[in-house]
Amino acid sequence: MSKFDSKKVMPRYSFLAILMTLVAITVVGKTLYIMTAKRAFWEEVADRVKVDSLKTLPIRGNILSCDGQLMASSLPQYNIFMDFVALREAKKDTLFEQKLDSICMGLNAIFPDRSAEEFKKHLMEGFEKNKRHWPVWNRRINYSTFSEVKSLPVFNLSKNQSGFHWDEHNARKLAYGSLAGRTIGKMYGAKDTAQCGLELSYDSLLRGEEGIRHRRKVLNKYLDIVDTPPVNGADIVTTIDVSMQDLAERALLKELRLINANVGVAIVMEVKTGDVKAIVNMTKCADDDYHEIKNHAISDLLEPGSVFKTASIMVALDDGVVDTTYRVETAGGVWPMYGREMKDHNWRRGGYGMLTLPQTLMVSSNIGVSRIIDDHYHNTPEKFVQGIYRLGLADDLHIPLQGASPARIRMPKKDARGKQYVNWSKTTLPWMSIGYETQVPPISTLTFYNAIANGGKMMAPRFVKAVMKDGVVIKEFEPVVLRERIAKETTIKKITTILEHVVSQGLGKKAGSQSFLVAGKTGTAQISKGAAGYKSGQMNYLLSFAGFFPAYEPRYSCIVCIQKSGLPASGGGMSGVVFHDIAEGIMAQSLKLEAADARDSLSILIPQVKNGNMLAASYVLDHLGIKQRSNWDGSYLNGNPIWGHALESGGKTIALHRVPEVDKNTMPDVHGMGAKDAVFLIESRGVKVKLNGRGKVMEQSIGAGQHIKKGMVCSLRLG
């Protein structure tokens, strides 16, 4: 007989079915009720525990020198805040009140500008108002300072427990200080926006793309959830050579301080490509020192003076109205020109008398050049100006820097009847021919001289040559030819010879070198003071020297412009000296000797390799022809050091071992390193170094692994 009693079991099943149906109906009913009647309430609750569409800032790209050295990069900076609501929710408010005095004393030690009492008053104000985003300090701080604040009581807890939180920003840092600072550019720190220079011109590439994230409160904790990740900015590779830039800046500053000048400019350009290898812009400031506050090289529209005479003579030679045997009378140094007197610089000493055309440039005769041009173009001045335009001096060079302006060279215009000039006087042409009545920025003058050095081919000045992303070139900027030929080949050869004689025999001797030939032209011009003209008290002068070197196989062109008040004032004797120092320094740097040539029969086959940057050691060993083994991939040229030590591996092989780099807040072990590597490693962590002795590091006063504190000084004994 079956034990199953349907009369007892089925009612139970029916009861369960009915119960589950009622529960389901209740759930569905409640759901519909929440979705309709309570919808507004729950949406308001959801809004309190979520934040949508928060921006995630990308990392700004780096600006690199021509050989990959870091010139500008982004470092983290922080704004720090307290969330007192989160503090209370985590039930740490009592702990905060207990530790408040310790916190404030610690903040005072980190930020001495505000007392502990002021910090206490400020924090208690936010605590009493129950603020979610109360600033602990009202300015951005660097990572080192941030780490100190984060180690204080309560602040050292997690965000959700302490309420201590922060906004991270990318602050721009120039690796070489003010070197080429105006050209590299600046950022508005508070806004993270570009202010000037390449930072501004290439902002769209450097900036990258912002990401989007949202915040959700889950289990009483806020979580950041990335919707769209940020795209970091690309790196730009400039044409700037750090060593040339440093050399040009030091040479210019030396002369500016010596003669107490107001403004100084120096530009170095590679002849074949138009690459700007160095660009210096110095202005004397209120602190009686020189700083880069304006890019004078591209924006100063001043009358260039005698460096313009080269262009005037080239027009005459190219048009065939004169040749190098042409002679002109300059008399006693004073010549009447349509009611005005044209004077040579030596008019008080009797002038130059009869001169040949090359001699007019060699001695920079105002009368000689102006008479040649006026005699042949007086009735058709537009033909002369067209010749100047043909040389490219008035071209828009499309400089990728804010404030750049092309030269302003007036073209003669006649009235509606075509009988007389409306913007021209009889004296305009003579004075224009010697560098007045025009406005030419230094970069345009240099581009013209660079074209002469390049056999007549005019190259556009190039400041950026590539864009890189993650070490891969994604875009290249090729050299741009503005004009295939600015003058006839014979004209270029003749003017090159004349310019070389200006330096070897004429007024430009101080720009020359005993080691190689230099070609160039001096310039000394009075600077007009606006409406006051040239007769407003003490005179200001623009002193220039523009040229190229070596004269007959040119590699680099250079211009030096100095603005100063009062006499003495000499383009050759002041700007020429700076040109000389730059040219000799660059040519000395280019004397590359093969390391392998240093080996002889007495050389040590396996040299001793100090601890430190193993990439640098690998580079030298390669050039000495010594085999090596290493546990990494990379090259010395990428600029990123790899730290480690070397061991002789038997025979003629050296084993290079990479050692993991310690945390930035920890003192590294620099024993066995050379002074350069040791100082770099320690000072990159904010610790000052004192050296004693020579050789490799034998002792360090702060032990390896010790936590670094602000204001530490480490003494190194070398032996």
Side-chain angles (χ1 to χ4, degrees), residues 53 119 148 169 181 190 224 246 256 331 343 365 389 422 461 522 531 547 550 559-560 565 600 605 637:
S53 300
F119 273 114
E148 290 184 59
H169 306 273
D224 283 334
D246 180 54
L256 293 178
K343 294 181 179 180
S365 170
Y389 277 41
V422 294
T522 62
I559 188 170
V560 178
S565 301
D600 57 33
L605 294 178
L637 298 180

Side-chain angles (χ1 to χ4, degrees), residues 49 269 279 519 709:
V49 297
M269 187 180 289
I279 177 168
K709 296 180 181 178

Side-chain angles (χ1 to χ4, degrees), residues 165-231:
H165 61 286
W166 55 89
D167 289 342
E168 184 174 339
H169 306 273
N170 289 322
R172 213 56 173 165
K173 178 73 174 178
L174 295 177
Y176 292 95
S178 63
L179 204 67
R182 195 67 192 181
T183 300
I184 297 302
K186 295 180 180 179
M187 302 285 291
Y188 290 108
K191 300 179 182 179
D192 283 328
T193 56
Q195 180 179 353
C196 62
L198 296 175
E199 293 276 20
L200 178 61
S201 302
Y202 292 87
D203 184 61
S204 59
L205 291 171
L206 292 164
R207 178 170 292 279
E209 299 177 11
E210 292 178 342
I212 299 175
R213 59 188 168 88
H214 65 272
R215 301 187 78 189
R216 289 288 185 273
K217 192 172 184 180
V218 180
L219 298 177
N220 212 33
K221 294 181 180 180
Y222 279 99
L223 300 178
D224 283 334
I225 302 170
V226 176
D227 299 316
T228 304
V231 178

Side-chain angles (χ1 to χ4, degrees), residues 500-609:
E500 187 274 309
H501 288 167
V502 169
V503 177
S504 61
Q505 304 172 34
L507 296 180
K509 288 181 180 178
K510 288 192 176 181
S513 170
Q514 294 182 350
S515 305
F516 51 90
L517 293 177
V518 172
K521 180 70 184 76
T522 62
T524 305
Q526 296 178 355
I527 300 177
S528 174
K529 298 185 178 180
Y534 296 96
K535 299 177 180 179
S536 56
Q538 188 182 40
M539 186 61 65
N540 286 346
Y541 294 90
L542 175 63
L543 317 175
S544 307
F545 189 92
F548 45 90
F549 54 93
Y552 296 108
E553 292 182 359
R555 295 175 58 189
Y556 299 100
S557 60
C558 177
I559 188 170
V560 178
C561 300
I562 296 174
Q563 297 176 37
K564 76 178 296 285
S565 301
L567 297 171
S570 168
M574 294 174 178
S575 293
V577 169
V578 179
F579 184 100
H580 163 86
D581 292 344
I582 293 172
E584 289 224 321
I586 289 174
M587 293 302 288
Q589 288 177 355
S590 65
L591 292 175
K592 296 180 179 178
L593 302 177
E594 290 294 327
D597 294 340
R599 289 183 292 172
D600 57 33
S601 58
L602 299 177
S603 296
I604 301 172
L605 294 178
I606 301 296
Q608 183 183 8
V609 180

